[in-house]
Amino acid sequence: MHFSHIFKSRINVLSVAFALFLAFFSLNATAQALPDTAVKAENHTKIVAEEAKEKKFDITAYILHHIADSHGFHMWGEGENSVTISLPIILWTDNGLVTFMSGDFHHDSEGKHVVEKNGQRFVNFHEKIYYASATANEHGEFVEVGAKHKVANLAPLDFSITKNVFTLIFSGVILVVLFVGVARSYGKRKGKSPKGFQSLIEPVILFIRDDIAIPNLGAKHEAYMPYLLTIFFFIWFNNILGMVPFFPGGANLTGNINLTFVLAVLTYLITTFKANKHYWKHIFWMPGVPVPMKIFLAPLEFLGTLTKPVALMIRLFANITAGHILVLALLCLIFVFKSIFIAPVSVVFVVFISMIELLVGFIQAFIFTVLTALFIGLAVQEHGEH
């Protein structure tokens, strides 16, 4: 091989000479070492290798930790040196109500730090609060973990303000303040052109009315416009807020299946209780269909009314969670490869995917609102309007 390009400068020559000297010195020292020293060095190498293997970066645990709910907003740092915005812990226990801040756990979520309040002992184990065991196990955890990683300790009723709960309240307050202001602007400026935030948000409101509500709900669209506007802006706002990596963002609210379940249930309840007789007649009676087929198809038709909200729930949850996982996985490439050369590539891909996620956040809010309007429209429109 040709190596002349390496020796083009004095700095390179000195660097190569110094490297060769270190290599020669190391080989010489190894050759002259005593046998027992060699054995100790070999044992030490094995120990270091085992420790390194144990401390290997766990990309799965890292991602799941960041998309899961927690009792505080982690800002930066690790362990005792980390900086976290604590949130209230609210527990209903055997001795009544107990409250304290999540910071009392000293950034521990492995069940190793015990908090004593009101004569009771509590631990935070994987972001769930349990009554602490009398003594720690072999891992230093004050919980009893079974073979299937199930915790045997009892847990109090937990009404704590977690990241998702805080974000839910925060986004609700922000949306109420903004849209109450817009409503007042409409009242004060009747017949005038929109101004301020009203001019920014009016095209979106008209888009929801003209392209979503009217085509699916017809003449009855005005009655359901408040609900459609609420779910659209709530989902859209929280999709964007979830992409912000610092407080008050960072929570995976719309990627939490509990929230999407509640939104889907609300749509199902409105569809069910507002449905007219033609809707139920189509499901259970099915005019013109033979009776044996009615007996067979009626349960399937009713099951179809349940699968619609399930589809709403899973679609929103899966798409938002997948986006967060993809961004975090790209960031983790830096730690997996442990190379500064991977960092620029990883950051470029993260920025690119984040731009796509901004579009996906809007699209998911749009799809949820469109399907909600469609399901309600099928239930409330009269027979001749279909």
Side-chain angles (χ1 to χ4, degrees):
M1 297 179 65
H2 185 61
F3 296 99
S4 61
H5 62 282
I6 299 178
F7 301 98
K8 286 183 179 179
S9 67
R10 293 182 180 180
I11 295 176
N12 286 343
V13 171
L14 292 174
S15 300
V16 173
F18 183 66
L20 291 173
F21 171 76
L22 287 179
F24 173 78
F25 180 80
S26 301
L27 291 173
N28 205 26
T30 303
Q32 294 177 2
L34 296 175
D36 58 337
T37 306
V39 173
K40 290 180 180 179
E42 184 179 354
N43 292 337
H44 177 71
T45 303
K46 289 181 179 179
I47 293 173
V48 172
E50 290 177 358
E51 290 179 352
K53 186 176 181 180
E54 291 177 357
K55 295 181 180 180
K56 185 179 179 181
F57 182 73
D58 190 347
I59 184 172
T60 303
Y62 177 83
I63 292 175
L64 292 178
H65 172 74
H66 279 77
I67 65 173
D69 200 6
S70 64
H71 288 88
F73 285 88
H74 180 263
M75 305 299 288
W76 62 79
E78 294 295 334
E80 290 290 338
N81 298 322
S82 63
V83 177
T84 303
I85 297 178
S86 300
L87 295 173
I89 303 291
I90 306 171
L91 307 173
W92 183 259
T93 69
D94 297 334
N95 295 341
L97 186 66
V98 174
T99 61
F100 56 93
M101 298 301 291
S102 61
D104 291 349
F105 285 115
H106 292 189
H107 315 291
D108 173 60
S109 61
E110 300 298 327
K112 297 179 180 180
H113 186 86
V114 177
V115 174
E116 297 187 13
K117 294 290 181 180
N118 199 20
Q120 299 172 105
R121 304 165 75 246
F122 306 98
V123 290
N124 179 359
F125 188 71
H126 296 172
E127 297 303 338
K128 293 184 179 180
I129 311 301
Y130 296 95
Y131 292 110
S133 302
T135 57
N137 58 20
E138 63 273 14
H139 302 292
E141 303 164 346
F142 287 86
V143 289
E144 297 178 9
V145 183
K148 296 183 179 179
H149 301 286
K150 291 185 178 180
V151 179
N153 296 51
L154 296 177
L157 293 177
D158 194 350
F159 301 97
S160 302
I161 306 297
T162 62
K163 279 200 313 183
N164 284 343
V165 174
F166 174 86
T167 304
L168 178 65
I169 297 172
F170 174 77
S171 60
V173 170
I174 294 296
L175 291 175
V176 167
V177 171
L178 290 178
F179 284 97
V180 166
V182 170
R184 288 177 178 174
S185 296
Y186 275 110
K188 294 178 181 179
R189 301 178 57 82
K190 288 183 178 179
K192 297 181 180 180
S193 60
K195 184 179 180 182
F197 184 73
Q198 179 189 359
S199 62
L200 177 66
I201 210 70
E202 184 173 289
V204 183
I205 296 174
L206 293 177
F207 167 74
I208 295 173
R209 185 194 68 182
D210 298 338
D211 294 333
I212 297 178
I214 294 177
N216 290 288
L217 294 163
K220 298 181 180 180
H221 72 277
E222 290 187 1
Y224 300 97
M225 274 294 292
Y227 178 66
L228 296 178
L229 289 171
T230 299
I231 59 173
F232 176 83
F233 284 105
F234 176 80
I235 294 173
W236 188 23
F237 179 76
N238 281 288
N239 286 347
I240 297 174
L241 189 62
M243 295 180 61
V244 178
F246 49 83
F247 181 83
N252 185 28
L253 182 61
T254 47
N256 187 304
I257 199 167
N258 296 309
L259 176 81
T260 60
F261 170 77
V262 172
L263 294 178
V265 167
L266 290 176
T267 297
Y268 177 74
L269 291 177
I270 293 173
T271 303
T272 301
F273 288 103
K274 289 293 184 177
N276 55 34
K277 61 181 181 180
H278 298 290
Y279 176 77
W280 296 114
K281 187 177 181 180
H282 172 75
I283 292 175
F284 293 109
W285 182 245
M286 290 173 282
V289 178
V291 174
M293 290 301 296
K294 289 181 181 180
I295 297 174
F296 175 74
L297 292 176
L300 297 179
E301 288 286 340
F302 180 74
L303 184 62
T305 65
L306 299 175
T307 57
K308 292 174 183 176
V310 171
L312 284 176
M313 172 184 70
I314 295 178
R315 179 182 287 106
L316 180 59
F317 155 74
N319 280 280
I320 300 304
T321 301
H324 288 307
I325 291 175
L326 181 57
V327 170
L328 290 169
L330 290 171
L331 281 175
C332 287
L333 292 177
I334 301 172
F335 306 101
V336 171
F337 289 97
K338 298 180 181 178
S339 172
I340 60 172
F341 300 105
I342 296 295
V345 178
S346 177
V347 170
V348 168
F349 274 107
V350 166
V351 172
F352 175 71
I353 295 299
S354 296
M355 295 300 101
I356 294 178
E357 282 299 302
L358 288 176
L359 178 61
V360 170
F362 174 83
I363 292 174
Q364 290 306 314
F366 170 75
I367 290 176
F368 196 101
T369 308
V370 166
L371 291 179
T372 295
L374 176 62
F375 297 156
I376 296 175
L378 292 174
V380 302
Q381 288 185 6
E382 298 300 328
H383 183 67
E385 296 177 326
H386 287 286

